[in-house]
Amino acid sequence: MSAAARSERRFPDVVWDVPVLRGLDARAHRELEAAGRVRDLAPGEQVHRPGEPADALYVVVSGRCEIAAVRRGDTKESVIRSVGPGEVFGEEAIVAAFATRALSARASARTSLVELPAAVLLRAAGRGDGAIVARHKRALERAATLDLLRTTALGRRLPDRDLDVLLDAALHVHLARGEHLYREGDPAADAFVVADGLLSAQSVDEGKPRVEAYLGRGDLFGDDELERSEPRPLTVVASGPAWLVAIPRDVLVPIARRSGALDGGARRVRTLPVVRPPPGVQTTAHVLADVYRMRVARSLLVIDQDSCIRCGHCAWSCASVHDDGISRLVRHGDKVVVRAQADDGRAIAPLLVPNSCQHCKNPACMIDCPTGAIGREAGGEVFIREDLCTGCGACAKACPWDNIQLARRKDARAAYPEVAVKCDLCAGSAAGPACVASCPTEAIARVDPNVAFEELRVLAAATRIAETGARLPSRTASWPWVAGASAAAIGVAVLPMGRWPSGFVAGAAFLLLLASSAAKRAPRLVARVRRPGLARAVYVGHVAVGTLLAGVTVAHAGLRVPATGAGALLLALLATVVTGALGALVHVFVPPRLARLERKSVLPEELAARGRELDERIFEKLSGRTELVKTLFARVLRPYRRARLGALRLALSGRTLRREEARVRGRVDALLEGRRSERLVGLDDLVKLVVERRAIGAQRILTGALRGWLAVHVAATAAAIVLLVLHVLAVRGRP
């Protein structure tokens, strides 16, 4: 239904008689009728489900809805309350900006209700009497808190009179991402129930935070310290926007003692195992370093660095499918590691999370857009209506991960010269995102991290598994095709074929190789005919046909190289095959070694600047250090940094940054003979920096290997094309 049609359907009077809407002016009525909608539901039809964004308040016009949840300790849903005409539900949308639904709501009879967008309602109410608005909001908070407490182990064991006391005393706490609720050693004054969001309870291990537990919706924590009158034993930090209900000590403890609600039988805190990174994972952040990002992402773009050959196909294919020629994918971003799949043969998988929209379940960009230009499809895809976008940049600022950019509009006469652009998942394409379809090594994928990552499946066990996007990038094996082509090449080489048949087959194979290379480098063509897995199939087919070409060439010319144009063609073709085979081997062995040496994502053209940055940081870290640290730097770290072949040795060794740091630190410890001193402060930082500085050189060598073979391969191919044309003309000219 269009906005115009919705505005013509006026809401029944029962809607405006609801306390929270009473007193709104005519303008507010018009805005809510234009933005809201009337929904007619059949018995049993769902209004909302747990985990969906809480962005609307509902008013029942006729019929009845049941609000249900799985209470702590139960395995099935039970009805929390029933809502009839003139009553509201979905109050959490008003209480917290980034809340998600904790309960489900469905019609228990034929029902008509009104859905009111929370953002519009709050904006309209904000123009009214502040005292009245505050009173209504407290009433909504009380209703939402009562629903929450009824689902907890604490609330289900308390009589209604005690619940009323808790509701009267409860305070609502809203935390931003990274904000501390309390720190270790703070005095304990309140217990907390998590209404929405995710928090981590942390201790300190060798000066660094160590996650001891995760606290999610419905968890009650902090009560043990209240009963024993002890300071806080842990620090609690919000992993993302969080909404908590605080219950003061002088209210909770007497009720708990009287009712026994907190005795050992009550399972208050969810026992979520804390998944540790595998041993040795220190070169980059583990996926749990930013739990909030992974939890809210619906479609996260990830690139497996062990498979990525740094060809850039993903970025230019993205640009080619959009009329403005702007790539929605920037090959910068966070680098994380996750546990690899069971059939992967690796303990961990290093992933780059490039700057590309992750279609959040509750997008901050949509909430902050002043014109409503950002919307969300029923399937969860977040999109931008360019005709409504004013280019104000509010969405770009709101996105915590820089996944939205401003670009010049194609129409220079437009009222607003800039427009926000971001990944749209290549909407309208049956093949899905172009970046995924165009990757020749299948290193890139769109995934739901809560399904694809083992660590997050533990934290979000209730997440429904999607049918697509559930696995990490997984390459189709090429070795069976190459092995088959090799066997065929040997067979063709030893079996007599005759000059003309073998010549035709060799020429056809060579032309097929040229065609596949041309298609791969024609962005518009690839964008139009792309199919899932097509780029990988073309890549594997190219390698297999190249292998077969070697055998056919030998069958046609034999093993003797004549001192003629035909001999030159034979050498050019063999050079083409050999350099192609070298490139295929480079693509297999170099990316994993490169991934082990990358602490952060750096494009090849940025390596020189990154090296200079590290040199400056080394100088800064060395300044002001003790004479002992400077002496050790001069005797061990500076020679290590300046070793002529050091970068090459590191590139060939296959060691990770972590192992290389341990090796260099071993040299330092050998000089110290096991002695420890406070005068060594800053030495570990210097070791990390000089190792990363050498790694930059190793990355340049490995990146050069990824790209360098191609120049020789192209030169050999060009020579073969010219010599093949001359050879064909010469053969045709013979009598």
Side-chain angles (χ1 to χ4, degrees):
M1 185 183 295
S2 68
R6 285 200 301 268
S7 64
E8 293 172 1
R9 183 174 182 179
R10 298 185 62 83
F11 292 163
D13 291 339
V14 66
V15 175
W16 307 119
D17 288 337
V18 171
V20 71
L21 302 178
R22 199 176 297 154
L24 293 179
D25 58 21
R27 176 185 172 186
H29 285 206
R30 290 194 302 271
E31 290 176 349
L32 288 170
E33 286 176 338
R37 60 172 175 158
V38 177
R39 295 178 59 180
D40 297 317
L41 307 174
E45 189 172 347
Q46 203 85 27
V47 181
H48 61 69
R49 294 178 173 81
E52 293 180 349
D55 52 12
L57 184 74
Y58 299 92
V59 181
V60 178
V61 176
S62 63
R64 188 160 290 274
C65 288
E66 290 181 340
I67 313 302
V70 179
R71 298 175 185 263
R72 184 59 60 87
D74 292 350
T75 57
K76 296 182 179 179
E77 273 192 345
S78 57
V79 176
I80 301 298
R81 62 182 168 115
S82 181
V83 185
E87 297 179 321
V88 302
F89 64 94
E91 296 89 348
E92 60 268 32
I94 305 299
V95 179
F98 293 92
T100 54
R101 301 293 183 189
L103 306 96
S104 65
R106 66 176 61 86
S108 57
R110 185 165 295 280
T111 301
S112 177
L113 56 80
V114 168
E115 179 183 295
L116 302 171
V120 179
L121 176 57
L122 289 171
R123 186 169 64 241
R127 296 194 299 265
D129 188 320
I132 296 176
V133 172
R135 185 169 67 249
H136 290 330
K137 187 170 183 180
R138 283 196 298 270
L140 294 174
E141 286 179 342
R142 184 183 179 90
T145 306
L146 180 58
D147 285 345
L148 170 69
L149 290 177
R150 282 172 172 164
T151 66
T152 65
L154 169 66
R156 68 182 304 172
R157 300 181 66 174
L158 292 178
D160 288 343
R161 65 177 184 276
D162 286 340
L163 275 177
D164 285 337
V165 174
L166 290 184
L167 288 172
D168 290 337
L171 300 174
H172 291 265
V173 179
H174 299 277
L175 300 177
R177 181 181 181 222
E179 190 174 351
H180 286 72
L181 178 64
Y182 55 73
R183 299 178 186 272
E184 181 180 347
D186 286 352
D190 305 286
F192 298 91
V193 179
V194 182
D196 195 42
L198 185 73
L199 302 97
S200 61
Q202 303 175 355
S203 62
V204 177
D205 183 10
E206 296 182 356
K208 296 181 180 180
R210 174 185 174 90
V211 176
E212 300 295 344
Y214 290 101
L215 307 168
R217 175 182 284 141
D219 285 342
L220 170 68
F221 64 96
D223 54 293
D224 288 339
E225 303 97 86
L226 299 186
E227 293 186 272
R228 297 193 294 263
S229 298
E230 296 176 348
R232 301 294 189 187
L234 298 170
T235 297
V236 174
V237 185
S239 299
W243 164 30
L244 302 101
V245 176
I247 305 173
R249 180 184 188 282
D250 56 0
V251 174
L252 179 64
V253 172
I255 291 177
R257 288 174 178 169
R258 183 172 64 247
S259 63
L262 299 182
D263 290 345
R267 181 185 174 210
R268 304 192 299 279
V269 176
R270 185 183 294 113
T271 53
L272 294 177
V274 177
V275 185
R276 306 289 183 196
V281 178
Q282 298 293 335
T283 57
T284 190
H286 190 253
V287 68
L288 293 180
D290 193 351
V291 177
Y292 172 67
R293 178 178 190 177
M294 303 302 163
R295 288 290 297 272
V296 301
R298 193 193 66 84
S299 177
L300 189 72
L301 188 68
V302 296
I303 301 176
D304 186 348
Q305 296 295 83
D306 276 352
S307 303
C308 175
I309 58 175
R310 282 69 171 175
C311 62
H313 280 58
C314 52
W316 61 248
S317 66
C318 179
S320 70
V321 298
H322 292 96
D323 292 337
D324 55 16
I326 297 173
S327 175
R328 273 63 171 169
L329 183 162
V330 180
R331 286 182 296 152
H332 274 294
D334 297 330
K335 188 181 174 190
V336 299
V337 291
V338 298
R339 292 185 184 276
Q341 295 161 170
D343 59 349
D344 202 271
R346 299 177 293 175
I348 61 170
L351 303 177
L352 172 64
V353 183
N355 292 126
S356 180
C357 179
Q358 59 194 44
H359 299 269
C360 296
K361 297 170 184 174
N362 206 348
C365 59
M366 187 170 73
I367 294 173
D368 279 15
C369 179
T371 65
I374 299 181
R376 185 177 55 240
E377 300 283 3
E381 297 86 354
V382 179
F383 62 91
I384 297 177
R385 304 178 184 92
E386 292 192 4
D387 55 328
L388 296 180
C389 179
T390 62
C392 67
C395 55
K397 295 174 184 175
C399 178
W401 303 287
D402 299 325
N403 290 338
I404 299 179
Q405 55 185 312
L406 296 178
R408 302 290 298 181
R409 291 182 187 268
K410 291 184 299 180
D411 185 1
R413 297 170 297 176
Y416 302 102
E418 291 188 320
V419 64
V421 297
K422 67 170 198 64
C423 170
D424 57 3
L425 296 176
C426 294
S429 169
C435 57
V436 176
S438 65
C439 180
T441 59
E442 291 182 330
I444 190 169
R446 281 272 176 187
V447 302
D448 179 347
N450 294 287
V451 176
F453 301 159
E454 176 186 337
E455 298 88 337
L456 291 166
R457 287 200 299 270
V458 175
L459 297 179
T463 301
R464 292 187 296 274
I465 297 179
E467 294 181 1
T468 59
R471 290 176 61 84
L472 296 177
S474 178
R475 287 188 298 180
T476 302
S478 60
W479 68 265
W481 296 92
V482 176
S486 300
I490 294 173
V492 169
V494 299
L495 293 176
M497 286 187 64
R499 286 293 181 94
W500 284 101
S502 60
F504 277 121
V505 173
F510 189 64
L511 292 176
L512 185 60
L513 291 174
L514 293 178
S516 64
S517 297
K520 188 170 59 176
R521 287 164 175 77
R524 286 286 179 182
L525 178 62
V526 174
R528 288 171 183 164
V529 303
R530 69 182 189 277
R531 293 290 184 274
L534 176 62
R536 177 63 176 172
V538 170
Y539 177 83
V540 173
H542 189 89
V543 175
V545 172
T547 304
L548 181 63
L549 177 61
V552 178
T553 301
V554 172
H556 180 71
L559 297 177
R560 186 174 59 85
V561 181
T564 62
L569 173 60
L570 174 62
L571 292 177
L573 287 175
L574 291 179
T576 301
V577 171
V578 170
T579 53
L582 176 63
L585 292 175
V586 165
H587 287 172
V588 171
F589 293 106
V590 169
R593 292 173 179 265
L594 190 54
R596 294 178 198 139
L597 298 175
E598 294 175 325
R599 200 184 302 277
K600 60 183 294 187
S601 171
V602 181
L603 297 176
E605 55 269 24
E606 298 171 342
L607 288 173
R610 176 62 177 166
R612 291 191 295 270
E613 177 189 340
L614 288 172
D615 287 336
E616 293 173 1
R617 291 182 60 190
I618 291 171
F619 178 78
E620 291 173 0
K621 286 291 182 182
L622 191 60
S623 300
R625 297 300 172 189
T626 64
E627 287 302 319
L628 177 58
V629 170
K630 291 180 178 180
T631 300
L632 292 171
F633 180 85
R635 295 187 60 181
V636 179
L637 302 185
R638 182 182 290 126
Y640 172 87
R641 159 71 183 86
R642 295 180 175 178
R644 288 181 178 276
L645 299 179
L648 178 61
R649 290 198 298 269
L650 180 57
L652 296 176
S653 70
R655 288 190 291 269
T656 63
L657 287 180
R658 176 69 172 177
R659 286 180 56 195
E660 185 70 2
E661 288 165 8
R663 196 171 72 91
V664 175
R665 186 57 199 250
R667 296 182 186 176
V668 174
D669 290 342
L671 286 178
L672 294 172
E673 297 179 346
R675 295 189 300 271
R676 293 288 176 180
S677 171
E678 294 181 357
R679 294 181 298 163
L680 295 176
V681 173
L683 181 62
D684 288 340
D685 290 337
L686 284 168
V687 169
K688 290 181 179 180
L689 288 172
V690 296
V691 168
E692 188 173 356
R693 183 62 183 86
R694 174 179 281 192
I696 291 295
Q699 290 175 48
R700 297 178 75 170
I701 292 172
L702 293 172
T703 302
L706 278 174
R707 296 182 168 188
W709 69 272
L710 185 60
V712 182
H713 184 64
V714 170
T717 303
I721 293 173
V722 174
L723 292 170
L724 179 61
V725 171
L726 295 176
H727 181 69
V728 171
L729 292 176
V731 170
R732 289 189 62 184
R734 291 176 186 173

